[in-house]
């Protein structure tokens, strides 16, 4: 018996590094998952690796109608919706003074902030239609809490995720909906590999306390716990899964 036996989840960003690991973990815990992503090719690959416990749908999380559609699709396909995981996110490292004020603000904000807002809203409306409670888990980042270079809009968007998590938990608690967030530090996925293109890979690796990056499976373990009933008393907060990254000054050898 898994911790998520009989539970139905929607997972966005399901084709990414962290998303694929979460998907595998939810299935291994007995859950059923509507795996959602922009990438139709990625979804076809995901579907071919999974059995009947997974359905897939191409969705752009910046479009409310598509996000609402994914909630009802999960409920129709699997009978109900219990868990929404707003995990899709993008980053585009760039110095602030080099920003294009439209492209470098609106692109990241649309996915990371608006997409999570839409997921909270449409997920809660689906739970209300069902007459049930539910769990909403948002993927934040240590950079929702810490300032850092090259990542202005991303950090702002993740700070918004942290605040949306608190506000949603407060407003939705009476409806039996629990809302929390996970904040990864540096996880070895295509998103982080953008720092390799900038020639900063070794530099950021040495900034890690244990000189190594977190693996996507480690984040998936924390997510599976947070959406399970074992985490019932964790609500309205962001849980750091970061190897302590946000708590310490970078070691000297990283400078
Ligand atoms: N990798 C890290 O070090 C790290 C650290 C902290 C937080 N995070 C967060 O974890 C989450 C997952 O990141 P990842 O590292 O797996 O990244 P990733 O780039 O591997 O995956 C992101 C996925 O989101 C999908 N996506 C992008 N825009 C979308 C849209 N508009 N609609 C639907 N899907 C869309 C992409 O197609 C991709 O499959 C993100 O929210 C990210 O900000 C990652």
């Amino acid at each position: 018996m898994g911790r998520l036996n009989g539970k139905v989840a929607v997972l966005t960003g399901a084709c990414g590094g962290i998303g694929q690991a979460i998907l595998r973990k939810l299935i291994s815990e007995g859950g059923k998952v509507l795996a959602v992503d922009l990438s139709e090719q990625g979804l076809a690959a995901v579907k071919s690796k999974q059995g009947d416990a997974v359905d897939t749908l191409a969705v752009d999380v910046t479009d409310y109608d598509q996000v609402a559609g994914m909630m009802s699709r999960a409920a129709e396909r699997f009978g109900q919706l219990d868990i929404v995981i707003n995990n899709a996110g993008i980053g585009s490292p760039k110095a602030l003074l080099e920003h294009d004020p439209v492209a470098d603000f609106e692109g990241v904000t649309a996915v990371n902030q608006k997409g999570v807002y839409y997921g909270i809203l449409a997920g809660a409306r689906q739970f209300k239609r069902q007459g049930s409670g539910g769990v909403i888990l948002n993927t934040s980042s240590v950079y929702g809490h810490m300032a850092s270079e090259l990542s202005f809009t991303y950090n702002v968007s993740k700070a918004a995720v942290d605040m949306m998590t608190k506000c949603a938990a407060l407003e939705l608690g009476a409806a039996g909906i629990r809302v929390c967030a996970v904040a990864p530090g540096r996880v070895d996925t295509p998103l982080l590999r953008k720092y390799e293109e900038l020639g900063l890979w070794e530099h950021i690796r040495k900034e890690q306390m244990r000189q190594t990056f977190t693996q996507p499976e480690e984040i998936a373990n924390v997510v599976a716990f947070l959406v399970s009933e074992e985490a019932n008393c964790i609500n309205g907060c962001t849980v750091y899964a970061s190897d302590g990254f946000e708590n310490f000054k970078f070691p000297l050898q990283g400078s």
Side-chain angles (χ1 to χ4, degrees):
M1 291 278 282
R3 285 181 294 187
L4 301 176
N5 254 14
K7 297 289 183 189
V8 175
V10 163
L11 167 66
T12 71
C15 297
I18 293 175
Q20 288 194 45
I22 295 174
L23 178 62
R24 289 192 296 272
K25 182 67 180 169
L26 297 180
I27 299 303
S28 76
E29 292 279 2
K32 293 176 182 159
V33 185
L34 177 64
V36 165
D37 204 285
L38 258 189
S39 161
E40 296 201 18
Q41 211 182 351
L43 288 170
V46 161
K47 182 73 190 148
S48 71
K49 283 186 232 156
Q50 305 290 343
D52 287 347
V54 174
D55 192 11
T56 55
L57 185 66
V59 166
D60 181 345
V61 298
T62 69
D63 181 314
Y64 181 76
D65 290 341
Q66 292 186 40
V67 173
M70 80 190 183
M71 306 299 176
S72 42
R73 162 78 168 257
E76 279 157 25
R77 171 73 174 75
F78 296 117
Q80 70 199 351
L81 179 66
D82 304 294
I83 297 163
V84 174
I85 303 177
N86 294 310
N87 170 70
I90 58 173
S92 169
K94 200 188 231 187
L96 178 58
L97 285 173
E98 287 166 20
H99 271 206
D100 173 316
V102 176
D104 289 313
F105 188 80
E106 292 184 1
V108 171
T109 305
V111 179
N112 295 9
Q113 184 170 341
K114 198 165 76 169
V116 171
Y117 163 62
Y118 286 168
I120 292 169
L121 186 58
R125 286 177 170 166
Q126 177 63 34
F127 295 143
K128 188 175 175 201
R129 263 195 303 280
Q130 293 173 181
S132 71
V135 180
I136 299 174
L137 184 284
N138 305 317
T139 306
S140 179
S141 164
V142 288
Y143 291 134
H145 170 73
M146 300 170 74
S148 62
E149 298 142 293
L150 304 178
S151 161
F152 186 94
T153 315
Y154 182 85
N155 294 28
V156 170
S157 73
K158 294 299 186 179
V161 169
D162 289 347
M163 184 50 77
M164 288 192 285
T165 299
K166 292 184 206 180
C167 291
L170 183 65
E171 283 217 39
L172 302 173
I177 299 170
R178 187 165 66 83
V179 188
C180 51
V182 65
R186 283 174 171 159
V187 189
D188 190 356
T189 72
L191 189 142
L192 193 69
R193 289 272 167 185
K194 296 210 167 129
Y195 287 90
E196 201 169 28
E197 291 159 27
L198 297 171
L200 291 170
W201 190 251
E202 268 307 287
H203 178 84
I204 64 169
R205 188 184 65 76
K206 286 182 183 161
E207 286 179 346
Q208 298 292 107
M209 268 198 289
R210 291 186 283 177
Q211 314 269 300
T212 181
F213 296 114
T214 299
Q215 293 305 307
E217 290 73 19
E218 297 177 279
I219 303 302
N221 289 341
V222 177
V223 168
F225 165 68
L226 286 175
V227 301
S228 78
E229 282 168 18
E230 287 183 356
N232 190 44
C233 69
I234 299 178
N235 195 15
C237 66
T238 297
V239 173
Y240 286 83
S242 59
D243 205 13
F245 185 79
E246 71 285 1
N247 292 318
F248 300 97
K249 158 187 175 298
F250 297 148
L252 286 176
Q253 63 267 33
S255 59

